[in-house]
């Protein structure tokens, strides 16, 4: 059986009230369509077809998947018409599985089970039971429980509206049959559209058996038509991500308060406090603890490192047994060695910090290279920008930088040197010396403070 998956993604998504094509709205950090394509790949099909229309160029560029066969539906005349755009190139004997670009949580195993139904009948569809979800097609069965047709909500009478079994949008049939049925579908309905769902009635009328598989996990079939449904599907997706993490042994202080927008790899005994957000691809080593309200973006964290509350870390590599934050900001291209301490209100950008070094309070390090065992006092700043160019600061092993020091780059501080507090360092400092660059203190004897005027 050669499988061709057709994904419908041509609609604008009027109910989203957005200029962004609906299928590009992010779910867990990835476009809705990306989730559907990921699921399609998991079935190892012969081909994946995507039908686009509204924002075609934008959709194709955002997906950027070389293996996809793209089809243009110039005017959105309905889901049946959309499938027809992909059918001409598909061999009659191949099986076509239709997925909707706005139904992103489907499990490949469910679809596999659905496809097995084609050994017994000519058309299979996936259904789910819902209450209070708007806009879904109702599955009409006869007294014996055989599927008769699908009636869209906007076409349904009150009795049909009361049916709880809904169309998920997923169906499969041989290409020859779909071509035949879709050729017969008309648009004589309230929306003047060619409904894919009319194929079910046509199949039954033509004497072709139809089977409906009721999906037990209805949540996985939720569609996104508006922002409220997007939020609902996002929560469902996050619950699943939290569950997967706990299944791998992660301690989540509250599984309802974590957001994973991308891929999160974890070692053993990882602990994550509430409201942590992970974007892109993050890796946490064994025993890592992430404090409340922290944001990690494309970052790797070594074993045993503790990230304290409210830290923001982006595109960084952090060694093992480090202590970061609370309230630390680590920006792209930063590498921290092992046993490094970065304390509160410290910002580090495009810098390397060697093992056992400390930057404990209120400092800015940009374009800097720090060796091992360096101590950076509170309020130290690398003056890395001259208004036109960025310059590097090099601080060698075992340097002690006194508090409130400015290092005007480019500048190099030699091994073991000490910089006195409050210094403005503009020239290179040799190894093992004390550099003092501040005005001398004077003492004024018998000084009288000014007094306020008496009333
Ligand atoms: C559709 C089904 C409904 C089902 C629901 C499940 C039809 C007629 N109705 O309704 O039975 O319960 O999905 O979520 O199929 N699209 C195109 N071209 C078009 C029209 C739509 O590519 O001309 C795409 C859309 O971009 C979207 C998908 O098809 O990804 C579904 O279209 P949508 O308008 O959202 O259909 P629903 O009203 O949700
Ligand atoms: Ca929809």
């Amino acid at each position: 059986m050669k499988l061709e998956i057709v994904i419908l993604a041509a609609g604008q998504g009027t109910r989203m009230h957005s200029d962004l094509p609906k299928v590009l709205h992010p779910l867990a950090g990835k476009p809705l369509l990306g989730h559907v394509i990921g699921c399609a790949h998991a079935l190892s099909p012969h081909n994946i077809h995507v039908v686009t229309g509204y924002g075609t160029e934008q959709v194709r560029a955002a997906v950027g998947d070389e293996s996809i066969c793209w089809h243009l539906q110039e005017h959105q005349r309905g889901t049946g018409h959309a499938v027809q755009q992909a059918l001409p190139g598909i061999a009659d004997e191949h099986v076509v599985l239709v997925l909707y670009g706005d139904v992103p949580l489907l499990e490949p195993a469910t679809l596999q089970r659905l496809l097995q139904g084609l050994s017994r009948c000519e058309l299979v569809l996936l259904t789910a039971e819902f209450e209070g979800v708007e806009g879904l097609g109702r599955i009409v069965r006869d007294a014996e429980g055989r599927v008769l047709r699908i009636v869209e909500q906007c076409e349904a009478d009150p009795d049909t509206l009361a049916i709880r079994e809904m169309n998920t949008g997923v169906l499969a049939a041989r290409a020859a049959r779909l071509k035949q049925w879709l050729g017969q579908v008309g648009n004589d309905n309230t929306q003047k559209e060619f409904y894919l769902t009319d194929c079910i009635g046509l199949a039954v009328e033509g004497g072709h058996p139809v089977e409906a598989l009721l999906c037990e996990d209805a949540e996985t079939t939720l569609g996104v038509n508006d922002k409220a449904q997007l939020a609902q599907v996002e929560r469902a997706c996050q619950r699943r991500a939290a569950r997967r993490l706990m299944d791998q042994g992660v301690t989540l202080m509250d599984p309802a308060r974590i957001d994973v927008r991308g891929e999160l790899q974890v070692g053993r005994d990882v602990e994550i406090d509430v409201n942590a957000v992970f974007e892109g691809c993050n890796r946490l080593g064994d025993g890592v603890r992430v404090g409340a309200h922290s944001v990690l973006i494309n970052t790797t964290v070594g074993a045993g490192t503790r990230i304290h509350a409210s830290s923001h870390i982006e595109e960084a590599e952090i060694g093992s047994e480090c202590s970061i934050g609370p309230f630390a900001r680590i920006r792209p291209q930063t590498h921290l060695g092992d046993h490094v301490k970065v304390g509160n209100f410290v910002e580090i950008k495009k810098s390397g910090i060697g093992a056992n070094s400390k930057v404990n309070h209120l400092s800015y390090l940009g374009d800097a290279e720090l060796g091992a065992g360096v101590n950076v006092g509170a309020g130290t700043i690398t003056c890395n920008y001259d208004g036109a160019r960025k310059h590097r600061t090099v601080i060698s092993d075992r340097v002690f930088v006194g508090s409130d020091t400015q290092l005007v780059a480019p500048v190099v501080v030699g091994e073991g040197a000490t910089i006195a507090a409050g210094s403005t360092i503009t020239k290179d400092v040799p190894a093992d010396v004390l550099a003092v660059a501040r005005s001398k203190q004077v003492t004024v004897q018998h000084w009288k403070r000014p007094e306020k005027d008496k009333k």
Side-chain angles (χ1 to χ4, degrees), residues 262-411:
E263 193 199 344
L264 177 57
Q265 290 176 29
V266 289
R268 293 175 76 80
D269 297 305
V270 166
E271 277 179 37
I272 301 174
D273 210 334
V274 298
N275 293 332
V277 177
F278 298 89
E279 292 181 12
C281 188
N282 289 288
R283 290 211 306 261
L284 307 179
D286 293 344
V288 166
R289 285 185 285 171
V290 178
H293 311 286
S294 290
V295 178
L296 270 72
I297 304 164
N298 297 321
T299 286
T300 303
V301 184
T305 286
R306 180 147 191 204
I307 294 164
H308 296 273
S310 299
S311 294
H312 192 282
I313 307 175
E314 179 171 8
E315 276 159 40
E317 260 177 58
I318 294 176
S320 55
E321 305 293 338
C322 293
S323 172
I324 312 292
F327 299 99
R329 176 162 187 220
I330 300 183
R331 292 168 51 198
Q333 297 184 53
T334 294
H335 304 263
L336 306 188
D338 299 338
H339 298 275
V340 167
K341 286 178 89 173
V342 174
N344 43 244
F345 308 108
V346 170
E347 175 178 346
I348 303 178
K349 184 217 85 170
K350 204 177 179 181
S351 295
I353 298 188
N356 298 302
S357 290
K358 295 177 186 156
V359 191
N360 275 338
H361 339 261
L362 300 149
S363 290
Y364 170 63
L365 300 179
D367 306 291
E369 198 57 49
L370 275 67
V374 172
N375 192 315
V376 177
T380 295
I381 288 172
T382 53
C383 309
N384 58 326
Y385 185 50
D386 59 13
R389 275 172 290 274
K390 304 279 172 61
H391 302 281
R392 292 194 68 72
T393 301
V394 176
I395 303 176
S396 309
D397 294 349
R398 297 181 315 283
V399 165
F400 182 97
V401 182
S403 297
D404 194 26
T405 290
Q406 299 103 58
L407 297 143
V408 182
V411 71

Side-chain angles (χ1 to χ4, degrees), residues 15 22 100 102-103 223-225:
R15 291 164 279 180
K22 175 164 72 176
Y100 288 177
D102 65 349
V103 179
V224 173
N225 297 306

Side-chain angles (χ1 to χ4, degrees), residues 8 10-11 22 73 76-79 100 102 136-137 152 167 225:
L8 305 189
K22 175 164 72 176
Q73 185 194 23
Q76 284 77 65
R77 302 209 166 101
T79 48
Y100 288 177
D102 65 349
L136 298 178
E152 290 305 310
N167 178 31
N225 297 306

Side-chain angles (χ1 to χ4, degrees), residues 28-346:
K30 187 162 97 178
L32 290 170
L33 182 57
H35 290 264
V36 182
I37 290 172
C39 176
H41 275 301
L43 296 171
S44 311
H46 189 57
N47 282 307
I48 297 177
H49 306 261
V50 178
V51 181
T52 59
Y54 179 82
T56 289
E57 293 308 319
Q58 210 181 341
V59 173
R60 294 184 188 186
V63 169
D65 183 331
E66 302 278 303
S67 67
I68 284 173
C69 313
W70 296 99
H71 303 271
L72 178 66
Q73 185 194 23
E74 216 164 323
H75 302 286
Q76 284 77 65
R77 302 209 166 101
T79 48
H81 180 252
V83 173
Q84 270 181 322
Q85 310 311 305
L87 286 182
I90 297 179
D92 281 357
E93 67 279 12
H94 290 188
V95 165
V96 175
L97 170 66
V98 179
L99 303 177
Y100 288 177
D102 65 349
V103 179
L105 297 181
L106 292 168
E107 304 274 1
T110 309
L111 301 179
Q112 224 119 39
R113 236 176 320 125
L114 182 78
L115 289 168
Q116 283 159 14
L118 282 181
S119 57
R120 298 182 295 269
C121 66
E122 294 275 340
L123 194 164
V124 289
L125 62 140
L126 187 69
T127 67
E129 284 189 350
F130 283 114
E131 244 169 321
V133 177
E134 284 299 307
L136 298 178
R138 304 305 199 264
I139 309 294
V140 181
R141 293 176 182 262
D142 66 13
E144 277 76 49
R146 284 179 300 232
V147 175
L148 289 180
R149 62 185 169 273
I150 296 179
V151 178
E152 290 305 310
Q153 171 161 317
C154 51
E155 321 288 340
D157 59 33
D159 281 350
T160 312
L161 279 180
I163 295 172
R164 289 181 51 209
E165 189 184 5
M166 309 286 186
N167 178 31
T168 64
V170 180
L171 62 75
R174 294 214 180 261
R177 287 286 180 232
L178 269 183
K179 288 175 187 174
Q180 177 194 336
W181 298 321
L182 284 172
Q184 296 169 254
V185 168
N187 68 344
D188 184 17
N189 51 51
T190 54
Q191 301 195 80
K192 296 279 167 282
E193 283 191 358
F194 296 89
Y195 295 157
L196 174 65
T197 45
D198 283 352
C199 287
I200 284 77
L202 288 165
V204 172
E205 281 166 31
H208 304 294
V210 174
E211 227 181 71
L213 175 71
L214 181 71
C215 182
E216 275 159 20
D217 193 352
E219 199 176 65
T220 60
T221 73
L222 282 171
V224 173
N225 297 306
D226 55 31
K227 288 291 173 78
Q229 287 173 344
L230 179 63
Q232 188 186 5
V233 169
E234 176 75 30
R235 281 308 102 205
C237 199
Q238 293 301 342
R239 271 197 298 280
R240 273 155 216 277
R243 181 61 208 245
R244 275 196 299 276
L245 288 170
M246 291 187 291
D247 288 346
Q248 291 172 69
V250 176
T251 301
L252 297 180
M253 298 317 287
D254 181 355
R257 283 185 289 168
I258 174 171
D259 287 85
V260 182
R261 301 174 193 149
E263 193 199 344
L264 177 57
Q265 290 176 29
V266 289
R268 293 175 76 80
D269 297 305
V270 166
E271 277 179 37
I272 301 174
D273 210 334
V274 298
N275 293 332
V277 177
F278 298 89
E279 292 181 12
C281 188
N282 289 288
R283 290 211 306 261
L284 307 179
D286 293 344
V288 166
R289 285 185 285 171
V290 178
H293 311 286
S294 290
V295 178
L296 270 72
I297 304 164
N298 297 321
T299 286
T300 303
V301 184
T305 286
R306 180 147 191 204
I307 294 164
H308 296 273
S310 299
S311 294
H312 192 282
I313 307 175
E314 179 171 8
E315 276 159 40
E317 260 177 58
I318 294 176
S320 55
E321 305 293 338
C322 293
S323 172
I324 312 292
F327 299 99
R329 176 162 187 220
I330 300 183
R331 292 168 51 198
Q333 297 184 53
T334 294
H335 304 263
L336 306 188
D338 299 338
H339 298 275
V340 167
K341 286 178 89 173
V342 174
N344 43 244
F345 308 108
V346 170

